């Protein structure tokens, strides 16, 4: 029986590349998404990967959504916490709402997804959790006090949970992508992207979603059973944590 993988934010951007790569590697994959029905349906049509709509910032919605996935595909063996949003603003202009939304999705969402799945993984003695953090959780980023705080929080969460899961066959790792050519990054003002960000990337280009997806495929494999609590940086040399 092939293992079941659930990818949050899995119908677009890095998440879509991860879902596609996991399917290609032989897993049964489900993709969660929050809002864009049209993109999600197109993704399902193109890939054959089932999509499930719920908001990871709600614990109840996660419990309900995970139950739907498990009823269709079986217990979740592999969880990829990829869903994330930006609400960029210089701190003096940042609103409490921008703070709450980003922490709610990017940090609390990781708790909300992992907590309902954790007991089953412990009982079965196997699990793979990969948290998609960010270079900006490692180094901080102007205009992203909210996002940097959430993504740094994801790294602390990863390291704590890795210790708890180790004796139960569960690995918990993080990937810190740098600037990847997705809608999220392309929403950065063009002048800022071209004059400030790309010149800081030694390989001289944005990353590709598939370059992150390949890291996930490795971390969830049986071959990676001795790797837990670690962070893979995939950032074109922009920052060495
Ligand atoms: N690096 C270096 N300098 C930056 C910068 C960055 N990432 N972002 C902004 N600046 C600079 C601007 O060039 C500008 O400098 P000058 O005054 O010398 O021209 C100054 O900071 C102020 O910027 P703005 O004029 O754009 O100010 P604003 O108030 O209109 O907007 C902002 C501020 C919302 C932060 C906007 O600049 C912005 O969106 N910046 C990008 C922030 C960023 O890097 N976000 C990452 C999104 S991608 C992502 O999050 C994925 C991931 O994990 C990597």
């Amino acid at each position: 029986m092939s293992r079941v993988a659930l990818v949050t934010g899995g119908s677009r951007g890095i998440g879509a590349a991860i879902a596609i790569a996991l399917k290609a590697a032989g897993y049964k994959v489900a993709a969660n998404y929050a809002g864009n029905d049209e993109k999600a349906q197109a993704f399902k049509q193109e890939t054959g990967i089932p999509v499930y709509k719920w908001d990871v910032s709600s614990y109840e919605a996660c419990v309900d959504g995970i139950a739907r996935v498990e009823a269709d595909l079986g217990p979740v063996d592999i969880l990829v916490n990829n869903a994330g949003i930006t609400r960029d603003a210089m701190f003096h202009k940042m609103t409490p709402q921008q703070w709450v939304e980003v922490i709610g999705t990017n940090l609390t969402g990781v708790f909300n997804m992992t907590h309902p799945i954790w007991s089953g993984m412990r009982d079965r003695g196997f699990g793979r959790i990969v948290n998609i953090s960010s270079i900006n959780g490692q180094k901080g980023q102007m205009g992203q006090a909210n996002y940097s705080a959430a993504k740094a929080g994801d790294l602390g969460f990863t390291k704590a949970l890795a210790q708890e899961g180790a004796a139960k066959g569960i690995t918990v790792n993080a990937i810190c992508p740098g600037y990847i050519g997705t809608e999220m990054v392309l929403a950065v003002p063009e002048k800022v992207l071209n004059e400030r960000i790309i010149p800081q990337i030694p390989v001289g280009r944005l990353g590709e979603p598939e370059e992150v997806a390949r890291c996930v495929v490795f971390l969830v494999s049986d071959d990676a059973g001795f790797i837990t609590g670690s962070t893979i940086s995939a950032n074109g040399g922009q920052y060495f944590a």
Side-chain angles (χ1 to χ4, degrees), residues 14 85-93 98 106 132-137 139 141-144 147-148 151 176-180 182-189 191-193 195-197 200 238:
I14 292 174
I85 59 170
T86 52
R87 298 286 183 266
D88 292 358
M90 292 305 208
F91 190 61
H92 60 282
K93 297 182 191 168
Q98 287 174 317
N106 299 10
I132 307 301
S133 177
S134 166
I135 185 176
N136 293 343
K139 71 172 186 59
Q141 173 57 52
M142 62 189 296
Q144 289 199 305
Y147 187 91
S148 300
K151 293 296 189 178
C176 285
Y179 283 76
I180 309 295
T182 62
E183 283 173 49
M184 181 184 275
V185 167
L186 299 174
V188 169
K191 196 167 162 2
V192 173
L193 195 59
E195 292 175 14
R196 301 282 192 163
I197 294 174
Q200 293 173 5
Q238 188 180 349

Short mmCIF file of all heavy atoms in Angstrom, two decimals, residues 14 85-93 98 106 132-137 139 141-144 147-148 151 176-180 182-189 191-193 195-197 200 238, ligand 1:
data_model
loop_
_atom_site.label_atom_id
_atom_site.label_comp_id
_atom_site.label_asym_id
_atom_site.label_seq_id
_atom_site.Cartn_x
_atom_site.Cartn_y
_atom_site.Cartn_z
N ILE A 14 4.62 26.55 -4.70
CA ILE A 14 5.52 25.50 -4.22
C ILE A 14 4.71 24.26 -3.83
O ILE A 14 5.12 23.13 -4.10
CB ILE A 14 6.35 26.02 -3.01
CG1 ILE A 14 7.35 27.09 -3.47
CG2 ILE A 14 7.10 24.87 -2.34
CD1 ILE A 14 8.10 27.76 -2.32
N ILE A 85 0.87 32.70 3.75
CA ILE A 85 0.45 33.96 3.13
C ILE A 85 1.43 35.06 3.50
O ILE A 85 2.18 34.93 4.46
CB ILE A 85 -0.97 34.38 3.59
CG1 ILE A 85 -1.03 34.55 5.13
CG2 ILE A 85 -2.01 33.35 3.13
CD1 ILE A 85 -2.33 35.18 5.62
N THR A 86 1.41 36.14 2.73
CA THR A 86 2.15 37.34 3.11
C THR A 86 1.18 38.51 3.27
O THR A 86 0.17 38.59 2.56
CB THR A 86 3.20 37.75 2.05
OG1 THR A 86 2.56 37.83 0.77
CG2 THR A 86 4.34 36.77 1.98
N ARG A 87 1.50 39.37 4.19
CA ARG A 87 0.81 40.66 4.34
C ARG A 87 1.93 41.67 4.64
O ARG A 87 2.05 42.16 5.75
CB ARG A 87 -0.20 40.64 5.49
CG ARG A 87 -1.34 39.64 5.33
CD ARG A 87 -2.38 40.08 4.28
NE ARG A 87 -3.48 39.13 4.23
CZ ARG A 87 -3.54 38.10 3.36
NH1 ARG A 87 -2.56 37.91 2.48
NH2 ARG A 87 -4.58 37.30 3.35
N ASP A 88 2.77 41.91 3.62
CA ASP A 88 3.98 42.70 3.84
C ASP A 88 3.66 44.18 4.09
O ASP A 88 2.82 44.77 3.41
CB ASP A 88 4.90 42.61 2.62
CG ASP A 88 5.51 41.22 2.41
OD1 ASP A 88 5.24 40.32 3.23
OD2 ASP A 88 6.26 41.06 1.42
N ALA A 89 4.35 44.74 5.05
CA ALA A 89 4.28 46.18 5.31
C ALA A 89 5.44 46.52 6.23
O ALA A 89 5.83 45.70 7.07
CB ALA A 89 2.96 46.55 5.99
N MET A 90 5.99 47.75 6.06
CA MET A 90 6.96 48.20 7.04
C MET A 90 6.26 48.21 8.41
O MET A 90 5.06 48.49 8.48
CB MET A 90 7.46 49.61 6.68
CG MET A 90 8.29 49.62 5.41
SD MET A 90 9.69 48.47 5.46
CE MET A 90 10.81 49.32 4.38
N PHE A 91 7.02 47.93 9.46
CA PHE A 91 6.39 47.71 10.76
C PHE A 91 5.58 48.93 11.22
O PHE A 91 4.52 48.78 11.83
CB PHE A 91 7.45 47.35 11.81
CG PHE A 91 6.85 46.88 13.11
CD1 PHE A 91 6.05 45.75 13.16
CD2 PHE A 91 7.08 47.59 14.28
CE1 PHE A 91 5.48 45.32 14.35
CE2 PHE A 91 6.52 47.17 15.48
CZ PHE A 91 5.72 46.03 15.52
N HIS A 92 6.08 50.13 10.89
CA HIS A 92 5.33 51.32 11.36
C HIS A 92 3.99 51.46 10.64
O HIS A 92 3.13 52.22 11.08
CB HIS A 92 6.17 52.59 11.20
CG HIS A 92 6.60 52.91 9.81
ND1 HIS A 92 7.65 52.27 9.18
CD2 HIS A 92 6.12 53.80 8.91
CE1 HIS A 92 7.78 52.75 7.96
NE2 HIS A 92 6.87 53.68 7.77
N LYS A 93 3.82 50.70 9.55
CA LYS A 93 2.52 50.75 8.85
C LYS A 93 1.72 49.46 9.05
O LYS A 93 0.60 49.34 8.57
CB LYS A 93 2.75 50.92 7.34
CG LYS A 93 3.43 52.22 6.94
CD LYS A 93 3.54 52.27 5.40
CE LYS A 93 4.44 53.37 4.94
NZ LYS A 93 4.78 53.25 3.50
N GLN A 98 -2.91 42.52 9.94
CA GLN A 98 -1.85 41.91 9.11
C GLN A 98 -0.99 40.97 9.96
O GLN A 98 -0.52 39.95 9.47
CB GLN A 98 -0.98 43.00 8.48
CG GLN A 98 -1.70 43.74 7.36
CD GLN A 98 -0.90 44.92 6.83
OE1 GLN A 98 -0.32 45.69 7.60
NE2 GLN A 98 -0.88 45.08 5.52
N ASN A 106 0.44 30.99 9.01
CA ASN A 106 1.80 30.47 8.83
C ASN A 106 2.38 29.78 10.06
O ASN A 106 3.29 28.96 9.93
CB ASN A 106 2.74 31.61 8.42
CG ASN A 106 2.35 32.27 7.11
OD1 ASN A 106 1.27 32.02 6.57
ND2 ASN A 106 3.20 33.11 6.58
N ILE A 132 7.34 23.88 5.65
CA ILE A 132 7.97 24.81 4.73
C ILE A 132 8.08 26.17 5.42
O ILE A 132 7.09 26.90 5.57
CB ILE A 132 7.17 24.92 3.40
CG1 ILE A 132 6.94 23.54 2.77
CG2 ILE A 132 7.93 25.85 2.44
CD1 ILE A 132 8.18 22.73 2.44
N SER A 133 9.27 26.45 5.90
CA SER A 133 9.54 27.74 6.55
C SER A 133 10.03 28.69 5.45
O SER A 133 9.47 28.69 4.35
CB SER A 133 10.57 27.53 7.67
OG SER A 133 10.91 28.76 8.26
N SER A 134 11.04 29.48 5.72
CA SER A 134 11.50 30.45 4.73
C SER A 134 12.87 30.99 5.12
O SER A 134 13.18 31.09 6.31
CB SER A 134 10.52 31.63 4.65
OG SER A 134 11.09 32.72 3.95
N ILE A 135 13.63 31.41 4.14
CA ILE A 135 14.87 32.14 4.39
C ILE A 135 14.59 33.34 5.32
O ILE A 135 15.42 33.70 6.15
CB ILE A 135 15.50 32.63 3.06
CG1 ILE A 135 16.85 33.29 3.29
CG2 ILE A 135 14.56 33.59 2.32
CD1 ILE A 135 17.57 33.70 2.02
N ASN A 136 13.39 33.90 5.19
CA ASN A 136 13.10 35.10 5.97
C ASN A 136 12.77 34.80 7.42
O ASN A 136 12.76 35.70 8.26
CB ASN A 136 12.01 35.93 5.27
CG ASN A 136 12.54 36.49 3.95
OD1 ASN A 136 13.75 36.53 3.75
ND2 ASN A 136 11.65 36.90 3.08
N GLY A 137 12.53 33.52 7.73
CA GLY A 137 12.43 33.10 9.13
C GLY A 137 13.82 32.91 9.72
O GLY A 137 13.99 32.93 10.93
N LYS A 139 16.74 34.76 8.53
CA LYS A 139 17.54 35.99 8.55
C LYS A 139 16.73 37.23 8.90
O LYS A 139 17.29 38.29 9.14
CB LYS A 139 18.24 36.20 7.20
CG LYS A 139 17.32 36.59 6.05
CD LYS A 139 18.13 36.95 4.80
CE LYS A 139 17.24 37.48 3.68
NZ LYS A 139 16.46 38.69 4.01
N GLN A 141 13.40 39.78 7.53
CA GLN A 141 13.27 40.53 6.27
C GLN A 141 12.51 41.82 6.54
O GLN A 141 11.42 41.79 7.11
CB GLN A 141 12.52 39.69 5.22
CG GLN A 141 12.17 40.43 3.95
CD GLN A 141 13.40 41.01 3.27
OE1 GLN A 141 14.38 40.32 3.03
NE2 GLN A 141 13.37 42.31 2.98
N MET A 142 13.09 42.94 6.13
CA MET A 142 12.35 44.20 6.27
C MET A 142 11.02 44.09 5.54
O MET A 142 10.94 43.47 4.47
CB MET A 142 13.17 45.39 5.76
CG MET A 142 13.52 45.33 4.29
SD MET A 142 14.70 46.61 3.81
CE MET A 142 13.75 48.09 4.10
N GLY A 143 10.00 44.67 6.11
CA GLY A 143 8.66 44.59 5.52
C GLY A 143 7.91 43.32 5.89
O GLY A 143 6.78 43.12 5.45
N GLN A 144 8.57 42.45 6.69
CA GLN A 144 7.95 41.16 7.01
C GLN A 144 8.14 40.78 8.48
O GLN A 144 8.45 39.64 8.80
CB GLN A 144 8.56 40.05 6.15
CG GLN A 144 8.17 40.10 4.68
CD GLN A 144 8.41 38.76 4.00
OE1 GLN A 144 9.52 38.24 4.04
NE2 GLN A 144 7.37 38.21 3.37
N TYR A 147 5.70 37.87 9.01
CA TYR A 147 6.07 36.65 8.28
C TYR A 147 7.36 36.05 8.85
O TYR A 147 7.47 34.84 9.07
CB TYR A 147 6.24 37.01 6.81
CG TYR A 147 6.47 35.88 5.85
CD1 TYR A 147 5.40 35.24 5.22
CD2 TYR A 147 7.76 35.48 5.50
CE1 TYR A 147 5.61 34.23 4.30
CE2 TYR A 147 7.99 34.47 4.58
CZ TYR A 147 6.91 33.86 3.98
OH TYR A 147 7.13 32.85 3.05
N SER A 148 8.34 36.91 9.13
CA SER A 148 9.62 36.42 9.67
C SER A 148 9.40 35.77 11.03
O SER A 148 9.99 34.73 11.34
CB SER A 148 10.63 37.56 9.79
OG SER A 148 10.88 38.14 8.54
N LYS A 151 7.62 32.36 10.50
CA LYS A 151 8.49 31.34 9.88
C LYS A 151 9.62 30.93 10.82
O LYS A 151 10.05 29.76 10.81
CB LYS A 151 9.04 31.86 8.55
CG LYS A 151 7.97 32.04 7.46
CD LYS A 151 7.34 30.71 7.07
CE LYS A 151 6.44 30.83 5.85
NZ LYS A 151 5.87 29.54 5.45
N CYS A 176 13.79 25.67 4.23
CA CYS A 176 13.73 27.13 4.12
C CYS A 176 14.01 27.53 2.68
O CYS A 176 15.18 27.70 2.28
CB CYS A 176 14.76 27.78 5.05
SG CYS A 176 14.24 27.71 6.78
N PRO A 177 12.96 27.70 1.88
CA PRO A 177 13.19 28.18 0.52
C PRO A 177 13.62 29.64 0.56
O PRO A 177 13.21 30.41 1.43
CB PRO A 177 11.80 28.06 -0.16
CG PRO A 177 10.98 27.19 0.74
CD PRO A 177 11.54 27.40 2.13
N GLY A 178 14.45 29.99 -0.41
CA GLY A 178 14.72 31.41 -0.64
C GLY A 178 13.63 31.97 -1.53
O GLY A 178 12.47 31.55 -1.45
N TYR A 179 14.01 32.88 -2.39
CA TYR A 179 13.01 33.51 -3.27
C TYR A 179 12.78 32.61 -4.49
O TYR A 179 13.66 32.40 -5.31
CB TYR A 179 13.49 34.91 -3.67
CG TYR A 179 13.29 35.91 -2.54
CD1 TYR A 179 14.15 35.93 -1.44
CD2 TYR A 179 12.23 36.80 -2.55
CE1 TYR A 179 13.96 36.81 -0.39
CE2 TYR A 179 12.03 37.70 -1.49
CZ TYR A 179 12.90 37.70 -0.43
OH TYR A 179 12.70 38.57 0.61
N ILE A 180 11.57 32.06 -4.54
CA ILE A 180 11.18 31.10 -5.58
C ILE A 180 10.18 31.81 -6.51
O ILE A 180 9.37 32.62 -6.04
CB ILE A 180 10.50 29.86 -4.93
CG1 ILE A 180 11.36 29.27 -3.78
CG2 ILE A 180 10.19 28.80 -5.98
CD1 ILE A 180 12.70 28.70 -4.16
N THR A 182 7.25 32.20 -7.64
CA THR A 182 5.82 31.92 -7.51
C THR A 182 5.05 33.25 -7.47
O THR A 182 5.66 34.32 -7.37
CB THR A 182 5.53 31.17 -6.20
OG1 THR A 182 5.92 32.03 -5.11
CG2 THR A 182 6.29 29.86 -6.12
N GLU A 183 3.73 33.13 -7.48
CA GLU A 183 2.90 34.34 -7.39
C GLU A 183 3.25 35.18 -6.16
O GLU A 183 3.20 36.40 -6.20
CB GLU A 183 1.42 33.96 -7.29
CG GLU A 183 0.79 33.52 -8.59
CD GLU A 183 -0.62 32.98 -8.39
OE1 GLU A 183 -1.43 33.65 -7.72
OE2 GLU A 183 -0.91 31.87 -8.88
N MET A 184 3.57 34.52 -5.05
CA MET A 184 3.86 35.24 -3.81
C MET A 184 5.07 36.16 -3.99
O MET A 184 5.05 37.32 -3.59
CB MET A 184 4.13 34.24 -2.67
CG MET A 184 4.43 34.89 -1.35
SD MET A 184 4.85 33.72 -0.05
CE MET A 184 3.25 33.25 0.54
N VAL A 185 6.10 35.64 -4.60
CA VAL A 185 7.32 36.44 -4.78
C VAL A 185 7.11 37.46 -5.90
O VAL A 185 7.57 38.61 -5.81
CB VAL A 185 8.53 35.52 -5.06
CG1 VAL A 185 9.72 36.30 -5.57
CG2 VAL A 185 8.90 34.76 -3.79
N LEU A 186 6.38 37.07 -6.94
CA LEU A 186 6.19 37.99 -8.06
C LEU A 186 5.24 39.14 -7.69
O LEU A 186 5.14 40.13 -8.41
CB LEU A 186 5.72 37.23 -9.31
CG LEU A 186 6.76 36.18 -9.78
CD1 LEU A 186 6.23 35.33 -10.92
CD2 LEU A 186 8.10 36.81 -10.16
N ALA A 187 4.59 39.03 -6.50
CA ALA A 187 3.76 40.13 -6.00
C ALA A 187 4.61 41.24 -5.37
O ALA A 187 4.12 42.33 -5.13
CB ALA A 187 2.76 39.60 -4.98
N VAL A 188 5.88 40.94 -5.11
CA VAL A 188 6.79 41.97 -4.59
C VAL A 188 6.96 43.03 -5.68
O VAL A 188 7.09 42.69 -6.86
CB VAL A 188 8.16 41.34 -4.22
CG1 VAL A 188 9.20 42.40 -3.92
CG2 VAL A 188 7.99 40.39 -3.03
N PRO A 189 6.94 44.32 -5.30
CA PRO A 189 7.10 45.37 -6.33
C PRO A 189 8.31 45.08 -7.22
O PRO A 189 9.39 44.72 -6.73
CB PRO A 189 7.30 46.64 -5.50
CG PRO A 189 6.68 46.35 -4.17
CD PRO A 189 6.80 44.88 -3.95
N LYS A 191 10.42 46.74 -8.91
CA LYS A 191 11.66 47.49 -8.66
C LYS A 191 12.43 46.88 -7.48
O LYS A 191 13.64 46.70 -7.54
CB LYS A 191 11.28 48.95 -8.35
CG LYS A 191 12.40 49.94 -8.43
CD LYS A 191 11.80 51.35 -8.42
CE LYS A 191 12.69 52.48 -8.07
NZ LYS A 191 14.01 52.44 -7.78
N VAL A 192 11.69 46.53 -6.41
CA VAL A 192 12.31 45.92 -5.23
C VAL A 192 12.90 44.56 -5.60
O VAL A 192 14.04 44.23 -5.24
CB VAL A 192 11.28 45.78 -4.08
CG1 VAL A 192 11.87 44.99 -2.91
CG2 VAL A 192 10.80 47.14 -3.60
N LEU A 193 12.13 43.78 -6.37
CA LEU A 193 12.58 42.44 -6.74
C LEU A 193 13.86 42.52 -7.58
O LEU A 193 14.86 41.85 -7.30
CB LEU A 193 11.46 41.73 -7.53
CG LEU A 193 11.59 40.23 -7.71
CD1 LEU A 193 11.65 39.49 -6.38
CD2 LEU A 193 10.40 39.69 -8.52
N GLU A 195 15.95 45.20 -8.16
CA GLU A 195 17.10 46.01 -7.71
C GLU A 195 17.61 45.59 -6.34
O GLU A 195 18.78 45.83 -6.02
CB GLU A 195 16.71 47.49 -7.69
CG GLU A 195 16.49 48.02 -9.12
CD GLU A 195 15.99 49.46 -9.14
OE1 GLU A 195 16.07 50.15 -8.10
OE2 GLU A 195 15.53 49.88 -10.22
N ARG A 196 16.75 44.99 -5.52
CA ARG A 196 17.14 44.70 -4.14
C ARG A 196 17.30 43.20 -3.88
O ARG A 196 18.17 42.80 -3.12
CB ARG A 196 16.09 45.24 -3.15
CG ARG A 196 15.87 46.71 -3.23
CD ARG A 196 16.99 47.44 -2.53
NE ARG A 196 16.67 48.84 -2.34
CZ ARG A 196 17.29 49.64 -1.50
NH1 ARG A 196 18.27 49.17 -0.75
NH2 ARG A 196 16.97 50.89 -1.41
N ILE A 197 16.41 42.40 -4.43
CA ILE A 197 16.38 40.98 -4.02
C ILE A 197 17.25 40.12 -4.95
O ILE A 197 18.18 39.45 -4.48
CB ILE A 197 14.93 40.47 -3.95
CG1 ILE A 197 14.20 41.21 -2.80
CG2 ILE A 197 14.89 38.95 -3.72
CD1 ILE A 197 12.73 40.93 -2.67
N GLN A 200 20.89 39.95 -4.60
CA GLN A 200 21.41 39.31 -3.37
C GLN A 200 21.50 37.79 -3.49
O GLN A 200 21.89 37.11 -2.54
CB GLN A 200 20.49 39.63 -2.19
CG GLN A 200 20.48 41.08 -1.77
CD GLN A 200 19.42 41.35 -0.70
OE1 GLN A 200 18.75 40.45 -0.21
NE2 GLN A 200 19.26 42.62 -0.34
N GLN A 238 21.87 32.63 -0.94
CA GLN A 238 21.58 33.98 -0.43
C GLN A 238 21.89 34.12 1.05
O GLN A 238 22.20 35.20 1.54
CB GLN A 238 20.10 34.32 -0.69
CG GLN A 238 19.75 35.76 -0.38
CD GLN A 238 18.29 36.09 -0.65
OE1 GLN A 238 17.57 35.30 -1.25
NE2 GLN A 238 17.85 37.24 -0.21
N1 LIG B 1 15.28 44.20 0.38
C1 LIG B 1 15.94 45.37 0.39
N2 LIG B 1 15.33 46.56 0.35
C2 LIG B 1 14.00 46.59 0.35
C3 LIG B 1 13.23 45.42 0.36
C4 LIG B 1 13.92 44.19 0.36
N3 LIG B 1 13.28 43.02 0.33
N4 LIG B 1 11.93 45.76 0.35
C5 LIG B 1 11.87 47.10 0.34
N5 LIG B 1 13.12 47.61 0.32
C6 LIG B 1 13.49 49.01 0.26
C7 LIG B 1 12.91 49.69 -0.98
O1 LIG B 1 13.75 49.48 -2.11
C8 LIG B 1 12.86 51.12 -0.56
O2 LIG B 1 14.16 51.68 -0.61
P1 LIG B 1 14.40 53.17 -1.20
O3 LIG B 1 13.58 54.06 -0.30
O4 LIG B 1 15.88 53.35 -1.12
O5 LIG B 1 13.85 53.10 -2.62
C9 LIG B 1 12.50 51.03 0.93
O6 LIG B 1 12.86 49.71 1.35
C10 LIG B 1 11.01 51.23 1.17
O7 LIG B 1 10.30 50.36 0.29
P2 LIG B 1 9.00 50.84 -0.48
O8 LIG B 1 9.20 52.17 -1.15
O9 LIG B 1 8.55 49.71 -1.34
O10 LIG B 1 8.00 51.09 0.76
P3 LIG B 1 6.48 50.74 0.88
O11 LIG B 1 6.05 51.17 2.24
O12 LIG B 1 5.74 51.23 -0.32
O13 LIG B 1 6.45 49.12 0.80
C11 LIG B 1 7.06 46.91 1.40
C12 LIG B 1 7.15 48.39 1.75
C13 LIG B 1 5.59 46.45 1.50
C14 LIG B 1 7.89 46.16 2.46
C15 LIG B 1 7.55 46.64 -0.04
O14 LIG B 1 8.79 47.28 -0.25
C16 LIG B 1 7.75 45.16 -0.27
O15 LIG B 1 6.80 44.44 -0.56
N6 LIG B 1 9.03 44.70 -0.16
C17 LIG B 1 9.35 43.29 -0.33
C18 LIG B 1 9.43 42.62 1.04
C19 LIG B 1 9.84 41.20 0.80
O16 LIG B 1 11.00 40.91 0.56
N7 LIG B 1 8.87 40.29 0.85
C20 LIG B 1 9.11 38.91 0.54
C21 LIG B 1 7.88 38.36 -0.16
S1 LIG B 1 8.20 36.78 -0.87
C22 LIG B 1 8.12 35.72 0.42
O17 LIG B 1 7.79 36.05 1.52
C23 LIG B 1 8.48 34.30 0.14
C24 LIG B 1 9.65 33.89 0.94
O18 LIG B 1 9.50 33.12 1.90
C25 LIG B 1 11.01 34.32 0.55
#
